[in-house]
Amino acid sequence: MAHSTDPLAHAHGTAAEWLRVVSDVLDTEDRPFTHRVLRAWLHVVRDRLPVDGAAHLAAQLPEFLRGVFYEGWTPSRVPVAHDADLFRRAFAHEAGVGVAEVPDLAGRVFEALDSLFSPGQLDHVLDAFPTRLCDELTGRAADDEGDVEVPAPAPSDDARLAALEDSVRSLTDALAVLARGLEDLPTRVRAEDGTARAAQEAHRILLARGVGVH
């Protein structure tokens, strides 16, 4: 009697279950979208790992997703630069999403895979990457973007001109004091005393006006 069991049924079922978990975390029923986002995550991570690290990660995947993982892989060209901006652009291009969407999507995929992989497996992946890239992978980059400090506005041209004029007046006053102190005096001792007093007075003027003296 012929055996009718599909030899690929188990592999297909396991891959479908992983895809369902990722879909749930992404909060979507669009399986093609889920597949694109998961593939993008796997590929951008794969290309930033050394060969042995990529092979170790692939071993944790279901058979069908392992094929997705290795699709288009060129071992001689990895790892690529660990640049967070390049990571976003590569992810966005492969997933077919906007660059601004990447941190949130990457973080959701990480959350789903972290529940599916062996405990600690993704920690080994993070150990291979700098902090900025880890933030991209885990979604922390999306949270941090809301806390970006907004720089103070640059002073206007009028404000800069007023500050410059004040500095010039301070320097003019200081030079006038120095000039008076350097006038010819009867004795060397008195000349030295007068110069010292003039220098001290010039220094006081500059400090009072907030002009740096080094």
Side-chain angles (χ1 to χ4, degrees), residues 8-146:
L8 298 179
H10 177 71
H12 181 274
T14 303
E17 176 60 20
W18 278 50
L19 202 63
R20 183 195 63 78
V21 172
V22 177
S23 291
D24 288 346
V25 177
L26 290 175
D27 193 24
T28 181
E29 296 181 359
D30 187 340
R31 289 302 179 91
F33 171 74
T34 300
H35 181 263
R36 290 199 312 273
V37 172
L38 175 58
R39 181 181 61 192
W41 194 96
L42 291 173
H43 284 181
V44 295
V45 171
R46 174 200 70 188
D47 290 344
R48 284 154 181 78
L49 290 171
V51 173
D52 56 346
H56 187 70
L57 180 62
Q60 300 286 319
L61 293 167
E63 186 176 354
F64 283 176
L65 291 182
R66 199 176 307 146
V68 171
F69 181 86
Y70 281 123
E71 178 188 359
W73 187 48
T74 307
S76 62
R77 297 181 181 178
V78 299
V80 301
H82 291 171
D83 181 275
D85 293 331
L86 291 177
F87 171 92
R88 286 195 185 193
R89 292 200 292 271
F91 191 115
H93 175 73
E94 185 151 359
V97 300
V99 173
E101 299 176 80
V102 171
D104 179 61
L105 293 174
R108 289 173 183 262
V109 174
F110 180 92
E111 178 186 343
L113 293 180
D114 196 35
S115 70
L116 293 165
F117 279 125
S118 300
Q121 173 60 43
L122 289 186
D123 291 338
H124 294 304
V125 173
L126 296 180
D127 288 342
F129 296 143
T131 301
R132 176 75 188 279
L133 191 54
C134 289
D135 289 346
E136 295 288 339
L137 284 174
T138 59
R140 289 194 294 266
D143 297 332
D144 293 343
E145 285 178 352

